[in-house]
Amino acid sequence: IQLIDKALSLLDKKNSDHAKKYSTILTTKAYVLLQQKDFESSKKVLNEALDAIKKLEGETSLNYITCLTNLGICCLENQDNNTAILHMETAYKLLSKKNLESLETFTAVFNLGRAFQLSGNKKKALSCFEKAYHGFNKILGSDHPTTRKARLEL
């Protein structure tokens, strides 16, 4: 964490190239904090990264959406399922507006399914897992580990 903080201190957030690196380093810091089970600090850092990305790239950028999904995952890890669902639904809706049939879209819907599953909403979870499975199957093929993982949830 100290090395990450040192790297952050060296960047000028007003420089657009540095701002992109800043948000990436913040996301890395949040991941490390999450691995250390420091959920509150991780959420705080992810929110800071969201603000930085929003100013630089806007709320519809893939980086913003990915960071929002990561915030949802952090909430899931902290057993805050309702907040996780809120963040993950927002991320999925933003991706859906982009009409992307991408790995990111299907990963987002799979994560949303996991959040619904953990909150006890089996019907919504199954719907998400079905979308994720069909998307992964189309992009990755039926034998890919990610596709098989999604198939197991059906």
Side-chain angles (χ1 to χ4, degrees):
I1 294 293
Q2 291 173 343
L3 289 174
I4 293 171
D5 287 337
K6 176 70 174 171
L8 289 169
S9 72
L10 296 174
L11 295 173
D12 175 8
K13 290 186 268 184
K14 293 178 184 170
N15 176 316
S16 64
D17 187 46
H18 283 202
K20 288 179 184 178
K21 291 175 184 170
Y22 184 79
S23 62
T24 301
I25 294 169
L26 279 175
T27 303
T28 302
K29 180 178 180 179
Y31 179 77
V32 171
L33 290 166
L34 185 60
Q35 296 305 307
Q36 295 174 348
K37 306 291 186 204
D38 187 349
F39 303 113
E40 291 308 312
S41 295
S42 183
K43 285 194 297 188
K44 181 179 176 186
V45 170
L46 284 168
N47 278 308
E48 186 179 344
L50 276 173
D51 288 342
I53 296 166
K54 182 178 177 179
K55 288 176 187 172
L56 182 66
E57 302 175 30
E59 291 181 346
T60 59
S61 77
L62 195 52
N63 285 336
Y64 183 86
I65 295 166
T66 300
C67 191
L68 195 58
T69 299
N70 289 338
L71 185 56
I73 291 168
C74 180
C75 292
L76 270 185
E77 290 289 323
N78 195 29
Q79 299 178 347
D80 183 359
N81 297 338
N82 292 331
T83 305
I85 289 169
L86 177 71
H87 292 310
M88 290 181 178
E89 278 185 319
T90 302
Y92 179 64
K93 286 176 186 174
L94 289 169
L95 282 166
S96 296
K97 284 181 185 178
K98 289 179 164 286
N99 253 347
L100 294 177
E101 288 211 353
S102 67
L103 194 54
E104 291 86 358
T105 301
F106 299 117
T107 300
V109 77
F110 182 85
N111 288 332
L112 180 58
R114 176 74 67 217
F116 281 129
Q117 184 182 53
L118 291 171
S119 69
N121 192 331
K122 293 178 183 179
K123 186 176 178 181
K124 284 187 176 182
L126 182 59
S127 174
C128 290
F129 290 142
E130 286 174 348
K131 287 178 191 173
Y133 168 71
H134 291 296
F136 290 147
N137 192 41
K138 183 177 179 180
I139 293 172
L140 302 171
S142 62
D143 291 331
H144 193 278
T146 303
T147 306
R148 289 195 309 249
K149 183 179 176 182
R151 186 174 45 234
L152 288 174
E153 299 296 339
L154 300 178

Coordinates of all heavy atoms in Angstrom, one line a residue, residues 1 31-39:
I1 N 0.8 -1.2 0.0 CA 0.0 0.0 0.0 C 0.9 1.3 0.0 O 0.6 2.2 -0.7 CB -1.0 0.0 1.2 CG1 -2.0 -1.1 1.1 CG2 -1.7 1.3 1.4 CD1 -3.0 -1.0 0.0
Y31 N -8.1 -3.0 -5.0 CA -8.0 -4.5 -5.0 C -7.2 -5.0 -3.9 O -7.5 -6.0 -3.3 CB -7.5 -4.9 -6.4 CG -7.4 -6.4 -6.5 CD1 -8.5 -7.2 -6.8 CD2 -6.1 -7.0 -6.4 CE1 -8.4 -8.5 -6.9 CE2 -6.0 -8.4 -6.5 CZ -7.1 -9.1 -6.8 OH -7.0 -10.5 -6.9
V32 N -6.0 -4.4 -3.7 CA -5.1 -4.8 -2.6 C -5.8 -4.7 -1.2 O -5.8 -5.6 -0.4 CB -3.8 -4.0 -2.6 CG1 -3.0 -4.3 -1.3 CG2 -3.0 -4.3 -3.8
L33 N -6.5 -3.6 -1.0 CA -7.3 -3.4 0.2 C -8.4 -4.5 0.4 O -8.6 -5.0 1.5 CB -7.9 -2.0 0.3 CG -6.8 -0.9 0.5 CD1 -7.5 0.5 0.2 CD2 -6.3 -0.9 1.9
L34 N -9.0 -4.8 -0.7 CA -10.1 -5.8 -0.7 C -9.5 -7.2 -0.3 O -10.1 -7.9 0.5 CB -10.8 -5.9 -2.1 CG -11.9 -6.8 -2.2 CD1 -13.1 -6.4 -1.2 CD2 -12.5 -6.8 -3.6
Q35 N -8.3 -7.5 -0.8 CA -7.6 -8.8 -0.5 C -7.3 -8.8 1.0 O -7.2 -9.9 1.6 CB -6.4 -9.0 -1.4 CG -6.7 -9.1 -2.8 CD -7.7 -10.2 -3.1 OE1 -7.5 -11.4 -2.7 NE2 -8.7 -9.9 -3.8
Q36 N -7.0 -7.6 1.6 CA -6.7 -7.5 3.0 C -8.0 -7.4 3.9 O -7.9 -7.3 5.1 CB -5.8 -6.3 3.2 CG -4.5 -6.3 2.6 CD -3.7 -5.0 2.7 OE1 -4.2 -4.0 3.1 NE2 -2.4 -5.1 2.4
K37 N -9.1 -7.6 3.2 CA -10.4 -7.5 3.9 C -10.7 -6.1 4.5 O -11.5 -6.0 5.5 CB -10.6 -8.6 4.9 CG -10.3 -10.0 4.4 CD -11.4 -10.4 3.5 CE -11.2 -11.9 3.1 NZ -11.9 -12.2 1.9
D38 N -10.1 -5.1 4.0 CA -10.3 -3.7 4.5 C -11.4 -3.1 3.5 O -11.1 -2.3 2.6 CB -9.0 -2.9 4.4 CG -9.2 -1.5 5.1 OD1 -10.4 -1.1 5.3 OD2 -8.2 -0.8 5.3
F39 N -12.7 -3.5 3.7 CA -13.7 -3.2 2.8 C -14.0 -1.7 2.8 O -14.2 -1.1 1.7 CB -15.0 -4.0 3.2 CG -14.8 -5.4 3.2 CD1 -14.9 -6.2 4.4 CD2 -14.5 -6.1 2.0 CE1 -14.7 -7.5 4.4 CE2 -14.4 -7.5 2.0 CZ -14.4 -8.2 3.2

